Amino acid sequence: MKYIIVTGGVMSGLGKGITSSSIGRILKNMGYEVTAIKIDPYINIDAGTMNPFQHGEVFVLKDGGEVDLDLGNYERFLDTELTGDHNITTGKVYRAVIEKERRGDYLGSTVQIIPHVTNEIKERVRSVAEASGADVCLIEIGGTVGDIESMPFLEAARQMQREEASHDLALVHVTLVPVDAQGEQKTKPTQHSVKELRELGLYPNIIVARCASTLPVAAKEKIALFCDVPVNAVISAPDAMDVYYVPLIFEEEGLSDYLMDKLELNASDSQSKWKKLVKRMEMTDESGNQISIAVVGKYIDLRDAYTSIGESLKHAGIACGYKVDIEWIDSDNLNGTPERVRESLRGFDGILVPGGFGERGVEGKIRAIEYARKNDVPFLGLCLGMQLAVIEFARNVLGWEDANSSEFGVTAHPVIDLLPEQHDILDMGGSMRLGNYEAVLLEGSLAHQLYGSLKIVERHRHRYEVNPEYIDEIESKGMIFSGKNRNRMEIAEIPSCKFFIGCQFHPEFKSRPENPAPLFKGFVEAAIGA
Ligand code: GLN
């Protein structure tokens, strides 16, 4: 097994996740099986309880793992499906160590960070890597070097660097080269951050320098000298037009050559598939073909909260040769008169209402859905977005003005409700229906047409469902449930509209650059036709 450990310095948000994913993609393009692990040094067990306002999207894996959004990048770049074990947090590590201690596994020893916690980290990394069957495992250590929380993980990395053969482990440090007022690229922050890493006993093999524009040789030489790496191991990572350009930029910068050498891998060039994708993106940009989609959500101030939705729209756009321009609309601002709602939504080729939790912003989303339905604007509702489409239909077509979800209070028409099965999940200590579940599609429905199959598997993250008691009445008025998992309604559509579809699951987690999610593709196609 080859390991590539990625650390970061100077500041957060430098794009370590994209760097790791891009390195992985380069190796995958060369024919290697690649897997990836994200280490998050926070104490939370997983990202499930984290607020998207603070931390961005919670990405959901096939096994129901609720994880950091970087795992979404790995899945998209590597076109793979990971499991919850691929996200290691301080919470998971300490919980395991404490459980072992209580069981007496440590035979009376004093349990310490070194070796017990660091051994737990190394064991987890190695067993996840081995179990994946991959040739190469990327390990991205979240946070920046110097954070208190990262210390046990960096120490585990140091030990791994010692234990693994030199051709089996490469350490990549991602850092920043800012530009000063005179326009000069400054390497000092990089030098300091590498110095800090070296004080911890970690010696980077490759420096990836985030910069506004490609580093000149002189800057690379300076970094190489101060950081004790060869010049060809200093890789510029200039701001890119799109994250999917990054693997090719790294390739041009010689990263793959250096990695091949260091890890004694056999280079076989086959970047062509990825090149084709990037070429298609360039051609789409040049064509000037563009559609404009309104995403009506409540976490819009932090764009990271909807990363997978943005990516999925992009994937669908690439497949259709159209650039998808996304307008993020705060649902709280759609609370005015119908005229104001119309004013805000007029002119979009499609309206998407994403998932969410809690009551804030819900009424604005319902108004957006009403606007889409009445004006026959292509509509895609995801999870809460589908539930709200059912509520809107119940209120405005069936005339049940008080129709609502029991998530938002008691009502005489709880068209969205907790099913008895959900109480079982709650009783078992879980709280949500998570991960992969199957849905059976209705023959001849829009959903069937888009998926081209009668059975699908998609990822879920929700508690509430369409209340089966109301299904007949709703269907009698023209909204049909075209995807079901026994008594759970998975897809709702209105056949009399051009394109109006909502799903209880999250198709955005399975969309890939070269293989867009069917519902997104259909939505974008409908928006192009609009
Ligand atoms: N809050 C809703 C539920 O729990 C929808 C969840 C979501 O959109 N992910 O069912």
Side-chain angles (χ1 to χ4, degrees), residues 9 37 48 96 173 229 233 247 252 271 281 291 307 330 426 494:
I37 295 173
H173 189 59
V229 295
E252 267 170 37
Q271 306 288 347
M281 286 174 72
I291 50 163
T307 301
D330 188 345
L426 292 172
I494 302 180

Side-chain angles (χ1 to χ4, degrees), residues 354-358 382-385 387 407-408 416 432 461-465 504 506:
F357 292 85
L382 309 176
C383 205
L384 180 67
Q387 298 177 353
E407 182 178 358
F408 312 129
I416 304 297
M432 276 195 270
R461 183 175 189 245
H462 65 113
R463 296 185 179 86
Y464 293 84
E465 313 269 350
Q504 188 53 83
H506 291 274

Side-chain angles (χ1 to χ4, degrees), residues 39-98:
I39 290 180
D40 280 312
Y42 45 66
I43 296 172
N44 306 55
I45 297 283
D46 60 32
T49 53
M50 291 182 136
N51 184 343
F53 277 122
Q54 265 181 38
H55 197 74
E57 167 179 279
V58 177
F59 193 81
V60 182
L61 301 171
K62 64 175 177 184
D63 67 349
E66 298 171 279
V67 294
D68 186 82
L69 56 84
D70 276 325
L71 278 93
N73 288 322
Y74 306 158
E75 286 203 346
R76 286 185 285 268
F77 275 76
L78 301 176
D79 190 15
T80 187
E81 287 199 291
L82 302 171
T83 57
D85 295 341
H86 288 251
N87 195 185
I88 300 177
T89 65
T90 297
K92 283 183 189 167
V93 171
Y94 275 75
R95 182 167 70 178
V97 169
I98 290 167

